[in-house]
Amino acid sequence: MLTIHAAPLVLPVGAAAVADGAVAVDGDRIAAIGPYEEVAAAHPAARVRRWPGLIAPGLRQDRARELLTRCYHPDPREADELGELPLWGEDFERIAVTMDATRRAGSVRRGLQRMLRHGTTHVAGPFGADDPALRTAVARSGLVVQVAPPPVPDREGVPDLDPFAAGGDLARTAGAPLTVGGRADLAVLDVPDEAALYGDGPRPCVATVLAGRLVHRAR
């Protein structure tokens, strides 16, 4: 079924922003981008999802390998003991000493799910033959593996699930521009404009669309 995703602002990247815009999705492809009234008129039978904030291309997580192999993502049942945030450094090493394959697989799966909740649709790779279990988990998630550009300088330390924490702008952080006929990977962020995506302020992701599927929706 064709779905129209509408928001006060659409930022395609590589093309002009669209106020009161919409992205029509047919299967795993983008069928139209433009003002909502025009897109809706061209597709009167489409289901409409209205979102706050802005629609941007799905984002790329440049530190995916570290987040999946050098962090532990606690199970919700471990929250009282370990908290909810990824564990890194010495905290990770303490767990890694006794972590078996089943527990590691659970951490990787939760890490991938949490990336989706931050608008991630692409991850920096490659994920090589040295870790087939990790490569399989990433492939099953549906996330696109890309060879990323060099990291933004001066952003080392603990990896962050928020792709913008690496310091790049939207053009650099987007997995791929939104284009008609292109794969439908969208991030919906509850901020008023592109400037609000940067800096230390909140940029909550309210929805993630991966190859046309709504894989995350904030409650």
Side-chain angles (χ1 to χ4, degrees):
M1 180 179 183
L2 195 144
T3 300
I4 294 174
H5 296 273
L9 184 63
V10 174
L11 299 176
V13 173
V18 184
D20 295 322
V23 179
V25 174
D26 189 3
D28 66 350
R29 297 287 139 179
I30 295 174
I33 303 171
Y36 170 75
E37 295 297 337
E38 294 181 11
V39 174
H43 304 280
R47 172 178 54 190
V48 177
R49 294 189 186 275
R50 294 187 177 274
W51 304 107
L54 61 83
I55 296 173
L59 308 175
R60 184 185 61 250
Q61 174 53 255
D62 285 349
R63 301 186 69 181
R65 178 175 283 276
E66 293 169 275
L67 281 164
L68 297 176
T69 65
R70 303 301 301 167
C71 292
Y72 179 72
H73 299 269
D75 187 291
R77 294 168 293 185
E78 301 174 308
D80 288 344
E81 177 187 0
L82 301 178
E84 299 179 354
L85 299 177
L87 300 180
W88 165 264
E90 292 182 359
D91 292 331
F92 170 78
E93 296 299 338
R94 278 195 294 270
I95 292 173
V97 170
T98 59
M99 186 160 50
D100 60 16
T102 299
R103 193 177 188 190
R104 178 175 184 255
S107 174
V108 168
R109 183 175 63 254
R110 290 187 293 273
L112 291 166
Q113 291 168 346
R114 287 165 182 169
M115 288 182 197
L116 291 171
R117 294 175 200 160
H118 284 77
T120 296
T121 58
H122 294 61
V123 291
F127 296 90
D130 59 315
D131 196 338
L134 176 61
R135 186 172 58 180
T136 298
V138 172
R140 287 177 175 172
S141 74
L143 292 165
V144 178
V145 178
Q146 287 185 330
V147 177
V152 175
D154 303 321
R155 285 284 178 170
E156 298 181 354
V158 181
D160 198 304
L161 286 164
D162 178 2
F164 286 108
D169 61 10
L170 179 59
R172 186 192 184 283
T173 306
L178 301 181
T179 58
V180 174
R183 190 172 122 139
D185 294 321
L186 315 176
V188 184
L189 300 137
D190 192 5
V191 295
D193 52 34
E194 183 176 351
L197 295 173
Y198 312 133
D200 297 327
R203 39 185 171 259
C205 177
V206 296
T208 305
V209 176
L210 182 67
R213 296 179 297 115
L214 183 64
V215 294
H216 160 65
R217 180 174 186 171
R219 295 178 180 177

